[in-house]
Amino acid sequence: MKEILQVKSNRTKAYSIERKQAKWGLLFTVPCLVFFSIFSFYPIINAFITSLTNKQALSRTSKFVGFDNYAYLFAQNDTANGGFTLWNSLRATLTFTIGTFIPMVVISLLVAVLLMSLRKDRQRGFLQVAYYLPAVLSSVVATAIWMIMFDPRGLVNQLSNVVMMTTGKDYKWLVDTNMLQASTMLVYFWKYIGYFVILFITGLAAIPPTIYEAATVDGSSRWHTFWRITLPLLKPTVVLVSIMAMLQCLKTFSTQYMFTQGGASRKPIDVITMNIYFTGIRNGRLGRASAMSIILFLVMLLFTYLQFSTSKTDDVEY
Amino acid sequence: MKKAIVILLALMMLAPMAFANAQAEEAKPVTIEFWTHEDANRQRLEERYIKEFCETHPNVTINVTRQAATKMIELVQTAFAAGQGPTVFNLSINDEYPYIVAGRVAPINYAAAGYKDAQAVIDAYAPGMLESVTYEGDVYGLPLELTNWCLFINKNVFRSAGLDPETDYPKTWEEVVEVSQKLVLRDGDILTRRGFDFRYPYYLESMVPMVEQLGGQLFSEDGKEAIVGKDAWVKFFEFMQNWGPNGLNLGSPTYKNARSLFNANNNDIAMAMTGLYQEARIKNDNPDFYNSGDWMVVPFPTFENAVNDTAACYYGHYYMVNGDVDEATQKVAWEFISYMLSHGEEYLKEVNIIQPTVALMNSETYKNTPYSAVFSQDFERGHIVYYGANSTEIQSLLKETVAAVMLEGLEPEKAYNQLKAAVQELVDEVN
């Protein structure tokens, strides 16, 4: 009987400690929740409500139109709205995302492994900073610099001539439809690869060296160690990086915007965020632009869910 | 009698109070958010005008925001959408007109601006100059500048190509191509010097007139049909495709704009399309080139078989006042605008911009401005740029269609169909 009472008393104690901790936890979480509610949830709800209206930037009133904006966007044929349809934007966004995020995840992982294998800390530190530097540069400035380099007289075209062993050829980096898409991917890749390298380095540093030592003692080759030890233990970081990279690519805007401001053709690179911008800000159709942003939100939600569900992100224990 | 005396005494007691209230109202602090596009020469003048105005109106604070003209279109619209529009702003009329239609700007406070009524304002300006800002009997804006474009020519570049600028300058678009082919320098396929290039963001101003020369129209007379005259539009698109990097490779929207390069006289460009204000900018950026006399201005070309002799459209940047601000602020805003615009001659002398008042257009200052006669003649050959509830969107559609033709290789006929469908949709929406 005494024992039962003791257990009960311990349970009550534990329960009250948990409750106390939970209260403190809640207190510390409240600012974050308030922040998210104001700056994330409210705009999403507001955008959804606006997407059900015909709101225009300059008009003082708007009319409830139900799902007309969505119906209009999905019913557009190839030539509607001068060719700047939702379908074209989804195509441009997916092309950009696949063309950027897969190479970015793979190459940033390889670079991170390469940097971690460097024995001299100073070399590693220097290269980390060098890779990371473009990420701190404003996207607008970075794109403006790259556009000068993509000019027919610029560095990239000159290098292309050297590599392809031609002289005076214009590779039309800003003109040709495919080259233009590749140019935007290149700028984005250059700008963000350092950021993901740093994330991978953080993940790699968390793997205990004893595991590698044991593998070396067992005679595992470097290749084998990478595939059998590094990659499985790095899985949570890989999932995190790939989701972040994918979401960032789906939200890309400033690179494409700057290119079109510089005279490049809009249609090949009219990613959905840019279409939202032109529809809402330039043409003042806020209802239609909000419908597009809700569609983008759902696309991002779907891809994130798919990625989570296919990668089975169980915690890794060392 | 007694009653009358009491009322009189009461009124006498109340009168000073009412007067005091009026004075308090007068002295109430007023803040004016003034948004305008960048122009280094104009900025110098306006900074002085603002200082002078604030000295005579100590209760007024004027905050100035300056941005590139293309950026300002988006900034003003976004600010108005958020209910935070500037007190005073100016845009090109095709971008400004939708604000009048949507009721977002206030009509002129005629007394504050120094006029008796709407007719008095209209009479003070050259005929037709305020038509685009007159809506339902009221005038909604006063022009900061009225601009049309002609061709600026660098004589040195012409001479270096063995051409005589005085006689060989192009009069037709076909000659623009021909002369440009002689003027361009290339390193393989790469252009290192252009003969001429268009002003790509401004299609309503400079390219619609080219279509009109060929017999096409942006809208039918009754305004119900868009992109009228298939042959003219297709011919225009063919011309642009031929001009671009996939054709004769004489220019491209992706190159640095010709107008900005012109002043430097760096052997980059021989001809640029721009307004009278360019003269002040050349003088400011490169006084040696300005004084050398190695530049000249010629009229806007026409096609050889043109059916209409149309020059570039003129457009106005009009000062407007936000209709959401209180009446006292609106009054001060119009006083401020009127004060700035009372310096028309100085604007013309220092910045080479035309505020088209009857007085200024007949002044010696205007007549003595180099090549003002060329611009005046082109004013007569041209008409005001298209403005309507959707003019900003139409400008974007024209831009993208021309870019698709020049850069993506879109077939001119397909481009015509695509543009027609898109603009027609906008017209049908309004109707």
Side-chain angles (χ1 to χ4, degrees):
Chain A
M1 185 67 183
K2 223 178 180 182
E3 277 174 6
I4 293 167
L5 280 174
Q6 185 64 41
V7 170
K8 263 193 173 176
S9 145
N10 282 348
R11 270 187 194 162
T12 319
K13 217 176 193 177
Y15 180 65
S16 72
I17 288 170
E18 271 173 19
R19 277 191 70 167
K20 209 172 177 182
Q21 281 178 337
K23 267 185 191 171
W24 279 106
L26 190 69
L27 195 72
F28 284 116
T29 324
V30 162
C32 190
L33 283 175
V34 171
F35 183 86
F36 266 99
S37 303
I38 294 171
F39 294 105
S40 290
F41 300 138
Y42 170 72
I44 292 169
I45 293 163
N46 196 30
F48 178 68
I49 294 167
T50 310
S51 76
L52 303 176
T53 68
N54 67 348
K55 191 170 170 55
Q56 301 228 348
L58 292 179
S59 64
R60 292 179 197 273
T61 56
S62 59
K63 205 172 81 184
F64 179 78
V65 293
F67 286 93
D68 280 6
N69 285 323
Y70 294 89
Y72 173 86
L73 291 171
F74 284 112
Q76 283 175 320
N77 62 26
D78 279 358
T79 54
N81 193 30
F84 304 108
T85 60
L86 174 71
W87 296 114
N88 177 59
S89 292
L90 287 172
R91 178 213 51 82
T93 309
L94 286 179
T95 309
F96 178 82
T97 303
I98 294 167
T100 313
F101 122 86
I102 296 173
M104 193 140 73
V105 172
V106 173
I107 295 173
S108 57
L109 173 62
L110 293 178
V111 172
V113 172
L114 202 74
L115 289 182
M116 285 299 279
S117 68
L118 288 175
R119 288 191 183 160
K120 287 183 180 169
D121 285 350
R122 281 181 69 181
Q123 277 179 353
R124 193 193 307 155
F126 171 76
L127 286 170
Q128 277 180 23
V129 172
Y131 273 104
Y132 191 72
L133 264 181
V136 294
L137 204 65
S138 134
S139 298
V140 174
V141 174
T143 312
I145 293 168
W146 273 94
M147 283 191 71
I148 295 168
M149 295 202 291
F150 284 133
D151 184 88
R153 287 189 277 180
L155 190 66
V156 176
N157 200 53
Q158 282 178 26
L159 270 175
S160 307
N161 272 299
V162 171
V163 172
M164 302 302 288
M165 290 187 287
T166 51
T167 43
K169 190 171 176 191
D170 182 0
Y171 283 89
K172 298 182 177 171
W173 284 91
L174 297 173
V175 171
D176 180 82
T177 307
N178 294 326
M179 294 298 271
L180 178 61
Q181 292 181 88
S183 306
T184 57
M185 290 173 194
L186 192 61
V187 174
Y188 206 82
F189 181 86
W190 171 81
K191 179 148 172 48
Y192 289 106
I193 190 169
Y195 176 67
F196 295 112
V197 166
I198 298 293
L199 288 183
F200 274 125
I201 285 175
T202 316
L204 286 167
I207 301 172
T210 48
I211 299 176
Y212 288 114
E213 284 162 16
T216 312
V217 169
D218 289 346
S220 171
S221 67
R222 281 182 127 186
W223 183 247
H224 200 253
T225 306
F226 176 76
W227 283 105
R228 298 288 175 182
I229 295 171
T230 309
L231 211 53
L233 293 181
L234 206 59
K235 201 172 173 184
T237 314
V238 173
V239 173
L240 173 81
V241 167
S242 57
I243 289 174
M244 282 179 69
M246 187 192 66
L247 292 181
Q248 243 181 326
C249 289
L250 285 170
K251 289 192 298 181
T252 178
F253 171 74
S254 45
T255 309
Q256 285 78 1
Y257 175 73
M258 285 296 291
F259 271 62
T260 54
Q261 292 303 101
S265 202
R266 181 180 146 198
K267 198 175 172 187
I269 52 169
D270 191 32
V271 288
I272 193 159
T273 47
M274 196 158 76
N275 202 343
I276 291 169
Y277 174 82
F278 274 97
T279 308
I281 306 298
R282 188 68 67 86
N283 300 335
R285 297 176 184 278
L286 298 180
R288 204 177 285 171
S290 299
M292 274 196 261
S293 52
I294 292 295
I295 293 166
L296 174 63
F297 171 69
L298 294 175
V299 168
M300 289 166 80
L301 211 62
L302 175 76
F303 277 104
T304 311
Y305 171 75
L306 285 177
Q307 213 156 359
F308 263 123
S309 57
T310 52
S311 54
K312 293 174 191 162
T313 55
D314 298 332
D315 278 347
V316 174
E317 284 183 31
Y318 305 119
Chain B
M1 184 65 186
K2 259 186 185 175
K3 215 175 185 179
I5 291 169
V6 170
I7 291 169
L8 198 68
L9 282 171
L11 281 174
M12 281 170 72
M13 279 171 72
L14 287 171
M17 283 168 71
F19 185 63
N21 274 344
Q23 271 190 327
E25 188 78 16
E26 197 74 27
K28 215 173 104 182
V30 172
T31 302
I32 289 177
E33 294 297 333
F34 172 42
W35 291 14
T36 187
H37 62 278
E38 290 165 339
D39 181 329
N41 298 324
R42 190 161 55 81
Q43 185 173 341
R44 275 195 292 274
L45 288 189
E46 283 170 354
E47 275 170 3
R48 201 189 83 220
Y49 299 154
I50 290 167
K51 197 173 161 223
E52 288 167 0
F53 185 81
C54 289
E55 277 168 9
T56 54
H57 297 73
N59 61 323
V60 178
T61 308
I62 298 171
N63 300 322
V64 190
T65 301
R66 291 177 202 277
Q67 288 284 345
T70 45
K71 193 82 197 146
M72 196 51 95
I73 301 165
E74 296 159 14
L75 290 176
V76 172
Q77 179 158 280
T78 313
F80 268 92
Q84 301 288 322
T87 322
V88 176
F89 67 98
N90 71 76
L91 300 171
S92 177
I93 185 59
N94 46 315
D95 295 311
E96 256 179 333
Y97 189 74
Y99 292 79
I100 302 177
V101 180
R104 301 304 300 264
V105 285
I108 297 180
N109 180 327
Y110 302 108
Y115 297 97
K116 191 179 139 219
D117 54 20
Q119 196 53 50
V121 187
I122 292 166
D123 291 344
Y125 283 86
M129 290 303 155
L130 299 184
E131 254 172 37
S132 57
V133 286
T134 305
Y135 188 72
E136 294 177 350
D138 265 317
V139 183
Y140 283 79
L142 289 175
L144 161 69
E145 56 181 308
L146 186 87
T147 312
N148 66 344
W149 295 339
C150 294
L151 238 57
F152 277 65
I153 286 178
N154 184 322
K155 296 182 188 176
N156 282 331
V157 181
F158 264 66
R159 288 185 201 115
S160 74
L163 297 167
D164 179 356
E166 306 293 340
T167 53
D168 294 334
Y169 73 84
K171 289 99 187 164
T172 65
W173 288 111
E174 287 80 357
E175 284 174 9
V176 171
V177 173
E178 203 181 303
V179 169
S180 287
Q181 281 178 306
K182 290 177 186 162
L183 289 165
V184 290
L185 294 178
R186 298 177 200 271
D187 169 16
D189 297 338
I190 302 164
L191 274 177
T192 53
R193 181 174 82 184
R194 279 174 286 167
F196 165 79
D197 215 348
F198 291 90
R199 285 189 72 170
Y200 292 100
Y202 304 99
Y203 297 79
L204 286 169
E205 291 84 347
S206 62
M207 294 193 185
V208 168
M210 291 170 73
V211 176
E212 288 171 347
Q213 290 173 1
L214 295 166
Q217 281 176 290
L218 191 61
F219 291 107
S220 59
E221 297 304 326
D222 61 6
K224 286 184 179 166
E225 192 193 342
I227 315 298
V228 182
K230 185 176 179 180
D231 289 349
W233 281 94
V234 170
K235 197 174 172 195
F236 163 71
F237 285 136
E238 280 168 357
F239 180 85
M240 294 311 294
Q241 195 160 57
N242 201 34
W243 182 266
N246 296 318
L248 294 170
N249 189 21
L250 296 171
S252 165
T254 54
Y255 294 148
K256 189 164 181 184
N257 75 64
R259 182 181 62 83
S260 305
L261 291 173
F262 189 86
N263 298 2
N265 186 25
N266 271 345
N267 201 27
D268 287 323
I269 190 91
M271 296 177 277
M273 191 193 292
T274 182
L276 187 69
Y277 58 81
Q278 193 74 20
E279 294 183 10
R281 293 187 186 184
I282 301 173
K283 198 175 181 179
N284 188 54
D285 296 351
N286 193 348
D288 291 341
F289 181 45
Y290 180 84
N291 294 321
S292 69
D294 282 335
W295 58 276
M296 64 181 203
V297 183
V298 299
F300 187 81
T302 51
F303 281 102
E304 265 167 21
N305 298 320
V307 292
N308 293 308
D309 179 25
T310 313
C313 290
Y314 50 85
Y315 60 94
H317 276 255
Y318 291 82
Y319 276 129
M320 289 189 180
V321 172
N322 188 343
D324 293 341
V325 299
D326 61 83
E327 274 189 32
T329 308
Q330 284 181 21
K331 182 176 169 280
V332 176
W334 283 114
E335 282 172 6
F336 169 57
I337 291 169
S338 179
Y339 179 73
M340 286 198 294
L341 297 184
S342 65
H343 299 82
E345 289 223 13
E346 195 174 14
Y347 270 113
L348 181 60
K349 266 188 211 158
E350 301 297 322
V351 198
N352 286 148
I353 59 175
I354 306 163
Q355 289 162 6
T357 54
V358 174
L360 189 77
M361 297 305 274
N362 293 324
S363 70
E364 285 303 309
T365 312
Y366 180 66
K367 285 173 190 159
N368 293 335
T369 304
Y371 300 104
S372 61
V374 179
F375 285 96
S376 289
Q377 281 155 19
D378 266 16
F379 268 128
E380 283 171 24
R381 288 170 58 216
H383 59 82
I384 192 152
V385 68
Y386 168 74
Y387 56 90
N390 290 315
S391 33
T392 307
E393 210 165 344
I394 293 169
Q395 179 87 288
S396 285
L397 286 167
L398 282 169
K399 174 183 185 285
E400 301 308 339
T401 312
V402 174
V405 164
M406 291 179 78
L407 308 177
E408 293 169 44
L410 181 69
E411 286 171 31
E413 199 158 327
K414 275 189 184 167
Y416 166 79
N417 291 331
Q418 196 169 292
L419 181 68
K420 187 175 176 76
V423 181
Q424 191 64 49
E425 190 185 328
L426 297 176
V427 174
D428 294 344
E429 239 174 54
V430 174
N431 294 328

